[in-house]
Amino acid sequence: MAAALLFLLIFLLINYSPAAQSEGSNEFIYNGFNGSALSLFGASEVVGNGALMLTNLTSDDIGRAFYPEPMQMFQDSNSSKRPFNFSTYFVFSMIPPANAKGGYGIAFVVSPSTDFPGAKGEHYLGVFNSSDTAEEPDRSILAVEFDTVNRENENYDRTGNHVGINLNNITSLATRAAAYFIDEFRDEDFQMEEEPGVQAWIEYDGGKQVLSVTIAKMNMSKPLRPILSHQIPSSYFKKSMYMGFSASTGRKSSYHYILGWSLRMNGTAQQLNTSQLPAVKRVDSTAPPPPSPSSSYSPRVVGLIVSLTVVVIALGIWLFVVVWRRRMFGHEVLEDWEVDCPHRCRYKDLHMATKGFRDSEMIGAGGFGSVYKGVMPATGSLVAVKKIASNSIQGMREFVAEVESLGRLRHKHLVNLQGWCKRKNELLLVYDYVPNGSLDSLLYNHRSNLILTWETRLSILKGVAVGLLYLHEEWEKVVIHRDIKSNNVLIDADMNPRLGDFGLARLHDHDKASYTTNFVGTIGYIAPETARNGKASASADVFSYGVLMLEVACGRRPLDPDVPGSLMLVEWVIQCQQMGRILDAVDPRLSLDNDGVAEEMEFVLKLGLICSHQRAEARPSMRQVVRYLNRDGQLPGVEDYGESVSSHSADRFVMSRFLEGISSSTGQSVESESLARGSYGSLSHGGISTTSMRNGR
């Protein structure tokens, strides 16, 4: 009897206590919520398996759950308040209806109260409303949102799948698409709604006053870097604050669950046992079918009819799939010029590699079409597949013949074209996948808090120069790139540059001149002679490279159209040079304290000015540029820049009048698109890229 009672006591202790708390309520852990003392509001409830359900599929609903006692946010020392650190770790799950997109999301909330008068559902997540503003320090509501539906005018993630840090209102101070870091530099996006569980770590450093958010898929270890960080002054916190969760639905709805939660003040939150957390099932079907009407047929006849019907339907589905697959994959008609072309990929393989060109695999989009990340089924290699829209292709046969020639380019500092596929009027191009995205995204801090060091920047400039030298002088033909810019320089896993986007490139023999006169390129990088007569040349590429050098050294775009009358980057550096203060142009985020760095920066700025000289004959060749970068030879002087500022301004006026003429005569904007995160270029034909102007370049 005593043994049975002891066994029962042990069983109750193991199964009844989901939460452990330390003295002062400064630490707790819930591996499931059965028996918890959480304060629940609205639609929230603890379901039978121990999961905390904030909302179900009911439309326009709100559910909240808070730890019942407030946390002390400050420690008093010598009459001064010092903020505590805090760390929380939880696992959540969002389950949309079957065959539909869900909404709207979950927020982790730190608030002086558990009451939110006037709070709305949908995008406001049951915490804020449309009249809330950030300038309300007395409210002091901090929310970290895990959202699945875009608000109006939000474009950072077209599917709405993102993480954000909000203070006092729904407008995020910082936000980015949901992702986790694979290593120090590479991150991987994922759809939160498609996962059985998502781990989240939220940490506040009271000393640095920085809030960091890290997420990962279920059963993964914590990534090395947070996906989002932002400065939150400790003055926004009250002496004591409640912590908990809020979720909402609207026109769209989802089950929103919290599966486990731990928190610690002044320390690291305890690790949850993910294998013991309550499991929640995906929604596999909608409402059950209505009952069958009564029938006078015998059960055997009914069974026979049902069986025959099932067989006929199955045969019909099988026949439809066979015909569809043959139309999609089986018979790709080749034209004469395609028969002998190497690097031709099967559409079936590219369809499989990109999971049917699924939206979750898309890494970029523009007027030309879309770019997808893919894994080739035969080799397992990562690729980037560009699917060009049919309305953007001009002269398919001529273009593919040119791409076939460029497809033979192979160099460690070029993005290699692995192949292509033509299906009806679609053209698909297959490139190497470059994980760290474009130099533009790293230089201007679009995706992370990474600041490129001077050593890395100089290494990137040297690599691009070597790649251009290969194009101009070392390959079997002369290749004029015609669109050198930071968005077309991709950075691989080892931080080496890879020059991409050869959609505007032109070829000619080494003993012949280029006859190309179409006006193409990106404003701010276009050589003056190209702006005047449209002529492409290796010297025009050198000009664009010179602008790129200045851009990398200064951390400033070549042209800022948002500031009327502002100087172009080249003009500004020229003025700094003429005043004898050229180092004033250096990116202020870079340090000049290390030995030799200031000298290297001055050298690069002067070489950039020489390469971007107004007169083509004054510019060096790329072979000379590579020699200068390797410190083999003395830089020529730049004393003749006295009249160049006015020349730059005049050329900018010519450029603007040229664009106005094209727009008025065609009735269309002249543009080519660029891609963030693995930008694989525009492949526009005979157009001027104004993407840079829209981005403030």
Side-chain angles (χ1 to χ4, degrees):
M1 185 66 176
L5 288 174
L6 179 61
F7 175 81
L8 180 60
L9 178 61
I10 294 173
F11 177 82
L12 290 174
L13 287 173
I14 293 174
N15 291 277
Y16 176 75
S17 302
Q21 300 169 229
S22 66
E23 184 179 354
S25 299
N26 286 325
E27 176 184 2
F28 58 81
I29 180 169
Y30 293 99
N31 284 292
F33 295 92
N34 279 332
S36 66
L38 295 181
S39 298
L40 304 181
F41 306 88
S44 63
E45 61 176 310
V46 177
V47 295
N49 65 350
L52 171 59
M53 184 175 70
L54 297 173
T55 69
N56 51 35
L57 295 184
T58 304
S59 300
D60 299 307
D61 213 348
I62 294 172
R64 304 189 197 99
F66 279 83
Y67 189 73
E69 299 179 22
M71 299 294 169
Q72 298 304 309
M73 305 301 292
F74 294 92
Q75 52 182 330
D76 294 325
S77 176
N78 298 326
S79 300
S80 65
K81 293 196 302 183
R82 293 187 299 168
F84 276 128
N85 302 333
F86 71 81
S87 168
T88 186
Y89 165 47
F90 52 92
V91 177
F92 65 88
S93 180
M94 304 181 186
I95 303 180
N99 305 317
K101 293 291 290 182
Y104 276 69
I106 297 172
F108 173 77
V109 183
V110 181
S111 170
S113 170
T114 59
D115 188 24
F116 301 87
K120 302 292 186 181
E122 291 195 340
H123 296 296
Y124 300 101
L125 300 178
V127 180
F128 304 113
N129 61 51
S130 58
S131 63
D132 290 334
T133 64
E135 289 74 32
E136 299 181 63
D138 290 338
R139 298 185 69 225
S140 300
I141 300 176
L142 169 67
V144 179
E145 65 175 56
F146 303 88
D147 205 343
T148 58
V149 181
N150 261 351
R151 293 187 288 278
E152 186 177 358
N153 298 326
E154 289 181 334
N155 56 12
Y156 43 79
D157 182 88
R158 67 185 197 86
T159 64
N161 179 62
H162 63 271
V163 180
I165 298 175
N166 300 19
L167 198 60
N168 285 343
N169 69 354
I170 200 60
T171 302
S172 297
L173 300 173
T175 185
R176 67 141 298 156
Y180 55 87
F181 274 93
I182 302 171
D183 53 31
E184 185 68 20
F185 300 105
R186 295 181 300 160
D187 59 19
E188 184 77 33
D189 290 358
F190 70 100
Q191 294 292 321
M192 294 186 290
E193 280 187 335
E194 296 179 0
E195 298 299 322
V198 178
Q199 300 180 88
W201 294 264
I202 300 174
E203 296 156 311
Y204 181 73
D205 187 327
K208 298 179 180 179
Q209 300 188 36
V210 172
L211 185 77
S212 300
V213 183
T214 308
I215 60 174
K217 295 181 180 180
M218 197 71 152
N219 298 325
M220 289 180 56
S221 57
K222 183 181 179 183
L224 296 177
R225 290 180 54 191
I227 204 65
L228 200 60
S229 295
H230 196 77
Q231 196 90 19
I232 303 292
S234 61
S235 58
Y236 277 95
F237 294 120
K238 301 298 183 183
K239 182 177 181 181
S240 62
M241 307 279 281
Y242 290 92
M243 298 188 184
F245 302 92
S246 182
S248 66
T249 62
R251 292 164 297 168
K252 301 177 180 180
S253 59
S254 293
Y255 289 102
H256 292 116
Y257 291 100
I258 307 296
L259 307 181
W261 181 23
S262 69
L263 184 142
R264 176 178 288 176
M265 303 299 295
N266 263 5
T268 302
Q270 297 182 59
Q271 184 72 17
L272 298 171
N273 188 340
T274 55
S275 64
Q276 294 184 1
L277 296 182
V280 289
K281 295 182 179 180
R282 312 299 292 180
V283 180
D284 297 324
S285 62
T286 55
S292 302
S294 59
S295 172
S296 58
Y297 293 107
S298 67
R300 292 185 63 183
V301 174
V302 172
L304 181 60
I305 293 173
V306 171
S307 300
L308 288 175
T309 302
V310 170
V311 170
V312 170
I313 293 174
L315 287 173
I317 293 173
W318 175 80
L319 183 61
F320 173 80
V321 170
V322 169
V323 172
W324 178 79
R325 288 183 63 84
R326 285 186 177 181
R327 288 175 62 89
M328 287 288 291
F329 306 127
H331 301 286
E332 298 180 20
V333 179
L334 299 181
E335 299 180 21
D336 294 339
W337 56 269
E338 291 183 281
V339 174
D340 298 324
C341 286
H343 315 302
R344 188 176 188 278
C345 302
R346 294 192 306 169
Y347 183 83
K348 177 180 179 180
D349 292 339
L350 300 183
H351 192 271
M352 293 176 59
T354 58
K355 300 179 182 177
F357 298 102
R358 186 183 297 175
D359 285 351
S360 61
E361 304 304 307
M362 186 184 297
I363 57 177
F368 61 86
S370 305
V371 178
Y372 299 84
K373 180 180 177 181
V375 180
M376 295 302 289
T379 63
S381 60
L382 284 173
V383 294
V385 181
K386 180 183 292 185
K387 190 176 184 181
I388 299 177
S390 57
N391 59 4
S392 70
I393 301 175
Q394 302 175 6
M396 175 73 76
R397 182 188 299 255
E398 180 181 358
F399 178 66
V400 174
E402 181 177 341
V403 170
E404 194 280 327
S405 297
L406 292 173
R408 292 183 283 117
L409 288 169
R410 288 293 180 269
H411 192 273
K412 66 179 181 178
H413 291 304
L414 302 181
V415 176
N416 294 326
L417 176 66
Q418 294 191 10
W420 65 81
C421 171
K422 176 179 173 289
R423 177 177 173 270
K424 297 182 180 179
N425 290 327
E426 285 185 329
L427 180 68
L428 295 97
L429 302 177
V430 184
Y431 294 93
D432 292 345
Y433 177 74
V434 184
N436 280 330
S438 68
L439 174 60
D440 178 275
S441 66
L442 295 178
L443 196 59
Y444 300 112
N445 218 11
H446 293 336
R447 298 191 301 109
S448 69
N449 294 322
L450 174 67
I451 298 177
L452 294 177
T453 64
W454 173 249
E455 181 181 12
T456 301
R457 297 189 195 201
L458 183 58
S459 174
I460 289 172
L461 289 174
K462 289 181 178 179
V464 175
V466 171
L468 273 174
L469 173 60
Y470 172 78
L471 295 178
H472 288 181
E473 300 185 26
E474 296 178 348
W475 195 51
E476 61 190 56
K477 291 181 179 290
V478 177
V479 181
I480 310 300
H481 189 278
R482 302 206 299 171
D483 200 17
I484 296 163
K485 57 184 178 180
S486 58
N487 214 34
N488 287 338
V489 177
L490 306 185
I491 309 300
D492 66 19
D494 297 320
M495 298 303 289
N496 295 316
R498 307 276 290 276
L499 183 60
D501 187 3
F502 291 89
L504 302 181
R506 291 295 179 265
L507 312 176
H508 64 84
D509 293 332
H510 282 280
D511 56 349
K512 296 181 181 179
S514 171
Y515 295 100
T516 301
T517 56
N518 290 337
F519 185 74
V520 297
T522 300
I523 293 177
Y525 298 88
I526 299 174
E529 67 273 14
T530 304
R532 287 190 291 267
N533 56 35
K535 184 177 180 181
S537 66
S539 181
D541 274 358
V542 173
F543 180 92
S544 301
Y545 175 75
V547 176
L548 179 69
M549 293 186 77
L550 299 180
E551 181 180 7
V552 170
C554 301
R556 173 172 164 174
R557 299 186 184 277
L559 179 64
D560 190 350
D562 295 330
V563 183
S566 64
L567 292 176
M568 295 178 70
L569 176 59
V570 178
E571 299 173 13
W572 179 56
V573 179
I574 290 172
Q575 287 194 359
C576 292
Q577 160 71 9
Q578 291 172 341
M579 292 187 295
R581 301 174 57 183
I582 195 169
L583 288 179
D584 286 356
V586 170
D587 190 337
R589 296 174 297 175
L590 297 175
S591 172
L592 298 173
D593 297 337
N594 296 333
D595 293 340
V597 168
E599 180 186 353
E600 283 185 342
M601 290 179 177
E602 182 176 353
F603 173 83
V604 167
L605 289 169
K606 288 183 177 180
L607 180 55
L609 290 178
I610 294 170
C611 291
S612 57
H613 200 287
Q614 291 295 291
R615 293 185 291 107
E617 61 272 16
R619 300 172 204 145
S621 67
M622 285 312 302
R623 185 170 296 279
Q624 290 173 307
V625 171
V626 171
R627 288 180 56 195
Y628 290 145
L629 287 172
N630 291 328
R631 296 306 183 96
D632 183 10
Q634 178 115 16
L635 280 182
V638 292
E639 293 79 5
D640 55 344
Y641 264 93
E643 59 184 19
S644 294
V645 173
S646 60
S647 299
H648 272 285
S649 301
D651 284 319
R652 180 165 51 175
F653 174 76
V654 170
M655 181 84 71
S656 64
R657 294 302 299 270
F658 182 84
L659 286 173
E660 291 173 6
I662 291 179
S663 299
S664 61
S665 63
T666 64
Q668 298 176 346
S669 63
V670 185
E671 73 175 73
S672 68
E673 300 292 340
S674 59
L675 302 177
R677 191 178 181 275
S679 168
Y680 289 83
S682 62
L683 292 178
S684 59
H685 301 275
I688 304 168
S689 171
T690 58
T691 303
S692 303
M693 295 186 68
R694 292 194 302 274
N695 291 337
R697 183 178 305 172

